[in-house]
Each structure stands twice: as C-alpha cells, then as structure tokens.
Amino acid sequence: MNSLLELGNWPIWVMGWPAITLSIVCAAAGLVLRSNRFMVAGAVIAMPFCWYLAMNPGIWRFIAPVIAFLYFIGAFALSRGQRGFALILLLPFVMVAAWLATQLGRH
C-alpha cells in the first residue's frame, strides 16, 4: 500500500508540490497581513525546492539560488513596509512553480 502519508515519502512533502503550495500560501498570508514572519516561513519552506532545482544541470543551477535569495529579500522588504516590492520579489518563485506545473502537465 503506497500512500503519501508513509514515512518513506517525506521528500514529496519537503521538496514537492505540498511544500510549494504551502510556501505560496504563507507568502500570500504575509502580504495580506503585512507580516514578514509569514513571508520568512514561506521562504524557509521553499528552500528545499530551490535546492533541488539548483542540483539540476543547466541554467537552473544559477537561477534557483537567486530565486531563494529574492524570496528572503522580499521578506525583508515587507518588514520595511514595502509590500509592492515584496510582491515583485516573490514573483520569480511563483513563475517558476507555475512554469514547472505546466511542463509536468504536458507529460
């Protein structure tokens, strides 16, 4: 019986779509509530996914760390009251996740 709740499936929860979704939800909550703590939580949750992307060959090796860095800078911008700038800095992560979803949906 193979279930997502089994102990051996922890990478799916840490680096997969549940973590990506939770990260985006935390960031959205941070932006709406103007709380950088939620945004930092979202950035921390996104780190394993970005790390996984950085281990892939090609351009992802360079893009993924930048995306993670921008996410944390967005949390800092939110702490300074710059909600629009924080949203702009979150967009690369959301765009990569959306692009990846479309690529997986095609196969």
Side-chain angles (χ1 to χ4, degrees):
M1 176 180 222
N2 191 5
S3 171
L4 279 177
L5 300 177
E6 290 180 10
L7 186 61
N9 290 327
W10 68 267
I12 294 171
W13 291 99
V14 173
M15 290 182 255
W17 291 111
I20 295 167
T21 305
L22 182 61
S23 173
I24 293 172
V25 167
C26 283
L31 288 169
V32 169
L33 300 174
R34 298 176 192 255
S35 171
N36 68 322
R37 291 180 182 180
F38 282 109
M39 191 89 159
V40 169
V44 169
I45 293 169
M47 286 303 294
F49 172 70
C50 291
W51 182 41
Y52 174 75
L53 280 181
M55 290 188 297
N56 287 301
I59 194 78
W60 293 113
R61 181 171 307 221
F62 306 105
I63 291 177
V66 171
I67 290 171
F69 181 70
L70 290 176
Y71 207 143
F72 280 104
I73 297 299
F76 179 74
L78 190 60
S79 74
R80 298 289 182 224
Q82 298 177 348
R83 197 166 94 173
F85 190 53
L87 176 63
I88 290 170
L89 293 172
L90 174 66
L91 285 179
F93 178 79
V94 174
M95 290 170 44
V96 166
W99 177 81
L100 188 60
T102 62
Q103 297 303 306
L104 294 176
R106 291 178 20 181
H107 295 287

Tab-separated table of all heavy atoms in Angstrom, residues 17 20 49 52-53 56 59-60 94-107:
chain	number	residue	atom	x	y	z
A	17	TRP	N	5.109	19.438	-4.429
A	17	TRP	CA	4.002	20.376	-4.563
A	17	TRP	C	3.353	20.772	-3.241
A	17	TRP	O	2.929	21.933	-3.111
A	17	TRP	CB	2.972	19.822	-5.538
A	17	TRP	CG	3.525	19.812	-6.920
A	17	TRP	CD1	3.860	18.722	-7.659
A	17	TRP	CD2	3.884	20.943	-7.716
A	17	TRP	NE1	4.397	19.113	-8.855
A	17	TRP	CE2	4.412	20.463	-8.918
A	17	TRP	CE3	3.804	22.315	-7.513
A	17	TRP	CZ2	4.857	21.320	-9.921
A	17	TRP	CZ3	4.244	23.160	-8.513
A	17	TRP	CH2	4.763	22.658	-9.708
A	20	ILE	N	5.596	23.571	-2.049
A	20	ILE	CA	5.486	24.740	-2.925
A	20	ILE	C	4.176	25.477	-2.649
A	20	ILE	O	4.154	26.701	-2.509
A	20	ILE	CB	5.577	24.319	-4.409
A	20	ILE	CG1	6.956	23.748	-4.709
A	20	ILE	CG2	5.250	25.482	-5.327
A	20	ILE	CD1	7.044	23.040	-6.034
A	49	PHE	N	12.963	23.055	-2.156
A	49	PHE	CA	12.604	23.032	-3.571
A	49	PHE	C	13.644	23.769	-4.405
A	49	PHE	O	14.079	23.286	-5.457
A	49	PHE	CB	11.214	23.640	-3.767
A	49	PHE	CG	10.839	23.840	-5.204
A	49	PHE	CD1	10.580	22.755	-6.019
A	49	PHE	CD2	10.755	25.111	-5.745
A	49	PHE	CE1	10.241	22.939	-7.353
A	49	PHE	CE2	10.412	25.299	-7.062
A	49	PHE	CZ	10.157	24.208	-7.870
A	52	TYR	N	16.723	21.700	-4.603
A	52	TYR	CA	16.541	20.619	-5.571
A	52	TYR	C	16.716	21.141	-6.995
A	52	TYR	O	17.371	20.504	-7.821
A	52	TYR	CB	15.156	19.989	-5.390
A	52	TYR	CG	14.820	18.969	-6.429
A	52	TYR	CD1	15.396	17.696	-6.389
A	52	TYR	CD2	13.948	19.252	-7.461
A	52	TYR	CE1	15.102	16.746	-7.345
A	52	TYR	CE2	13.650	18.321	-8.426
A	52	TYR	CZ	14.229	17.073	-8.359
A	52	TYR	OH	13.927	16.143	-9.319
A	53	LEU	N	16.146	22.289	-7.287
A	53	LEU	CA	16.314	22.874	-8.623
A	53	LEU	C	17.771	23.204	-8.909
A	53	LEU	O	18.247	23.043	-10.032
A	53	LEU	CB	15.484	24.148	-8.757
A	53	LEU	CG	14.006	24.004	-9.046
A	53	LEU	CD1	13.368	25.371	-9.170
A	53	LEU	CD2	13.757	23.193	-10.296
A	56	ASN	N	20.030	20.530	-10.461
A	56	ASN	CA	19.805	20.119	-11.840
A	56	ASN	C	20.801	20.817	-12.761
A	56	ASN	O	21.261	21.912	-12.473
A	56	ASN	CB	18.376	20.462	-12.259
A	56	ASN	CG	17.382	19.539	-11.615
A	56	ASN	OD1	17.447	18.336	-11.810
A	56	ASN	ND2	16.479	20.090	-10.828
A	59	ILE	N	20.758	25.902	-16.681
A	59	ILE	CA	20.524	27.239	-16.142
A	59	ILE	C	19.928	27.219	-14.740
A	59	ILE	O	20.102	28.163	-13.984
A	59	ILE	CB	19.642	28.046	-17.119
A	59	ILE	CG1	19.658	29.535	-16.777
A	59	ILE	CG2	18.231	27.532	-17.126
A	59	ILE	CD1	20.881	30.228	-17.224
A	60	TRP	N	19.240	26.138	-14.378
A	60	TRP	CA	18.624	26.063	-13.045
A	60	TRP	C	19.659	26.160	-11.928
A	60	TRP	O	19.352	26.625	-10.834
A	60	TRP	CB	17.817	24.779	-12.886
A	60	TRP	CG	16.621	24.772	-13.769
A	60	TRP	CD1	16.400	23.951	-14.832
A	60	TRP	CD2	15.490	25.638	-13.689
A	60	TRP	NE1	15.199	24.265	-15.416
A	60	TRP	CE2	14.628	25.295	-14.732
A	60	TRP	CE3	15.143	26.681	-12.840
A	60	TRP	CZ2	13.421	25.952	-14.938
A	60	TRP	CZ3	13.934	27.328	-13.050
A	60	TRP	CH2	13.096	26.961	-14.088
A	94	VAL	N	6.989	32.183	-7.865
A	94	VAL	CA	5.656	31.788	-8.331
A	94	VAL	C	5.690	31.448	-9.819
A	94	VAL	O	5.079	30.472	-10.260
A	94	VAL	CB	4.627	32.903	-8.028
A	94	VAL	CG1	3.277	32.591	-8.637
A	94	VAL	CG2	4.509	33.111	-6.529
A	95	MET	N	6.437	32.237	-10.592
A	95	MET	CA	6.513	31.979	-12.033
A	95	MET	C	7.223	30.664	-12.338
A	95	MET	O	6.794	29.920	-13.228
A	95	MET	CB	7.204	33.155	-12.731
A	95	MET	CG	6.355	34.401	-12.747
A	95	MET	SD	7.181	35.911	-13.304
A	95	MET	CE	8.082	35.410	-14.714
A	96	VAL	N	8.288	30.350	-11.618
A	96	VAL	CA	8.984	29.075	-11.822
A	96	VAL	C	8.082	27.916	-11.443
A	96	VAL	O	8.013	26.904	-12.154
A	96	VAL	CB	10.320	29.037	-11.044
A	96	VAL	CG1	10.875	27.635	-10.968
A	96	VAL	CG2	11.319	29.962	-11.694
A	97	ALA	N	7.368	28.036	-10.325
A	97	ALA	CA	6.447	26.977	-9.913
A	97	ALA	C	5.337	26.790	-10.942
A	97	ALA	O	4.984	25.658	-11.288
A	97	ALA	CB	5.859	27.289	-8.544
A	98	ALA	N	4.802	27.888	-11.460
A	98	ALA	CA	3.752	27.796	-12.477
A	98	ALA	C	4.294	27.199	-13.770
A	98	ALA	O	3.629	26.356	-14.404
A	98	ALA	CB	3.158	29.181	-12.737
A	99	TRP	N	5.473	27.622	-14.175
A	99	TRP	CA	6.073	27.063	-15.393
A	99	TRP	C	6.310	25.560	-15.233
A	99	TRP	O	6.024	24.788	-16.143
A	99	TRP	CB	7.390	27.769	-15.713
A	99	TRP	CG	8.068	27.190	-16.911
A	99	TRP	CD1	7.788	27.453	-18.222
A	99	TRP	CD2	9.107	26.221	-16.902
A	99	TRP	NE1	8.606	26.703	-19.027
A	99	TRP	CE2	9.431	25.937	-18.252
A	99	TRP	CE3	9.809	25.564	-15.904
A	99	TRP	CZ2	10.407	25.018	-18.604
A	99	TRP	CZ3	10.795	24.655	-16.256
A	99	TRP	CH2	11.081	24.397	-17.587
A	100	LEU	N	6.834	25.159	-14.091
A	100	LEU	CA	7.083	23.751	-13.845
A	100	LEU	C	5.785	22.951	-13.853
A	100	LEU	O	5.741	21.833	-14.371
A	100	LEU	CB	7.835	23.558	-12.529
A	100	LEU	CG	8.332	22.162	-12.217
A	100	LEU	CD1	9.297	21.684	-13.304
A	100	LEU	CD2	9.024	22.133	-10.872
A	101	ALA	N	4.721	23.523	-13.309
A	101	ALA	CA	3.426	22.844	-13.316
A	101	ALA	C	2.926	22.636	-14.735
A	101	ALA	O	2.369	21.581	-15.062
A	101	ALA	CB	2.419	23.631	-12.496
A	102	THR	N	3.127	23.634	-15.607
A	102	THR	CA	2.684	23.467	-16.990
A	102	THR	C	3.511	22.419	-17.712
A	102	THR	O	2.996	21.679	-18.550
A	102	THR	CB	2.747	24.804	-17.765
A	102	THR	OG1	4.095	25.257	-17.809
A	102	THR	CG2	1.839	25.834	-17.134
A	103	GLN	N	4.812	22.345	-17.394
A	103	GLN	CA	5.669	21.363	-18.033
A	103	GLN	C	5.308	19.954	-17.591
A	103	GLN	O	5.332	19.020	-18.388
A	103	GLN	CB	7.135	21.644	-17.734
A	103	GLN	CG	7.642	22.956	-18.262
A	103	GLN	CD	7.429	23.068	-19.769
A	103	GLN	OE1	7.847	22.217	-20.530
A	103	GLN	NE2	6.770	24.131	-20.186
A	104	LEU	N	4.990	19.787	-16.329
A	104	LEU	CA	4.603	18.462	-15.830
A	104	LEU	C	3.229	18.063	-16.331
A	104	LEU	O	2.946	16.889	-16.524
A	104	LEU	CB	4.636	18.438	-14.305
A	104	LEU	CG	6.015	18.601	-13.679
A	104	LEU	CD1	5.908	18.671	-12.166
A	104	LEU	CD2	6.926	17.463	-14.101
A	105	GLY	N	2.368	19.049	-16.543
A	105	GLY	CA	1.037	18.767	-17.055
A	105	GLY	C	1.034	18.315	-18.509
A	105	GLY	O	0.108	17.655	-18.959
A	106	ARG	N	2.072	18.660	-19.239
A	106	ARG	CA	2.176	18.279	-20.647
A	106	ARG	C	2.628	16.842	-20.838
A	106	ARG	O	2.484	16.291	-21.911
A	106	ARG	CB	3.142	19.207	-21.374
A	106	ARG	CG	2.591	20.585	-21.510
A	106	ARG	CD	3.496	21.571	-22.159
A	106	ARG	NE	4.584	21.033	-22.964
A	106	ARG	CZ	5.473	21.761	-23.589
A	106	ARG	NH1	5.383	23.069	-23.517
A	106	ARG	NH2	6.427	21.232	-24.293
A	107	HIS	N	3.207	16.228	-19.818
A	107	HIS	CA	3.742	14.870	-19.970
A	107	HIS	C	2.851	13.864	-19.336
A	107	HIS	O	2.287	13.848	-18.385
A	107	HIS	CB	5.138	14.778	-19.364
A	107	HIS	CG	6.120	15.631	-20.103
A	107	HIS	ND1	6.599	15.308	-21.344
A	107	HIS	CD2	6.687	16.819	-19.793
A	107	HIS	CE1	7.441	16.238	-21.746
A	107	HIS	NE2	7.507	17.175	-20.815
